[in-house]
Amino acid sequence: MDQMDRRADDRRQDHDTAAVVSEALACQRAFGNDAAQRFLKMRGVEGEVAQQALLDNYDRRKQIRRTSAMAAN
């Protein structure tokens, strides 16, 4: 396996993981954090990666709301 094949494999996995995380975020909005974490675990995304994916998105949304509120004032 050369370096180009390895990069292609990594990218495919990242896209697949990104799609799973996107679905988990929708699950989080609909059913809560526990359901989203269980969803990620069933799809093979576990531990710190799963927690950071869900927490980072929440923190980003919260920051956007703060910025929007400050700009409106």
Side-chain angles (χ1 to χ4, degrees), residues 4-73:
M4 290 297 285
D5 290 336
R6 201 170 315 131
R7 285 182 185 164
D9 288 343
D10 289 344
R11 268 183 293 211
R12 240 179 279 124
Q13 181 181 8
D14 288 343
H15 288 298
D16 292 343
T17 303
V20 169
V21 169
S22 293
E23 288 182 53
L25 294 172
C27 182
Q28 181 185 36
R29 287 188 297 274
F31 304 109
N33 197 44
D34 289 339
Q37 286 184 357
R38 283 193 303 273
F39 176 85
L40 286 173
K41 187 174 183 177
M42 288 185 340
R43 300 299 191 273
V45 180
E46 295 186 61
E48 190 69 24
V49 174
Q51 289 177 357
Q52 288 300 316
L54 297 174
L55 288 174
D56 285 345
N57 187 55
Y58 172 76
D59 290 342
R60 266 186 267 131
R61 283 197 321 258
K62 197 160 110 179
Q63 182 62 34
I64 290 169
R65 287 183 191 140
R66 283 188 197 142
T67 305
S68 298
M70 290 178 73
N73 291 333

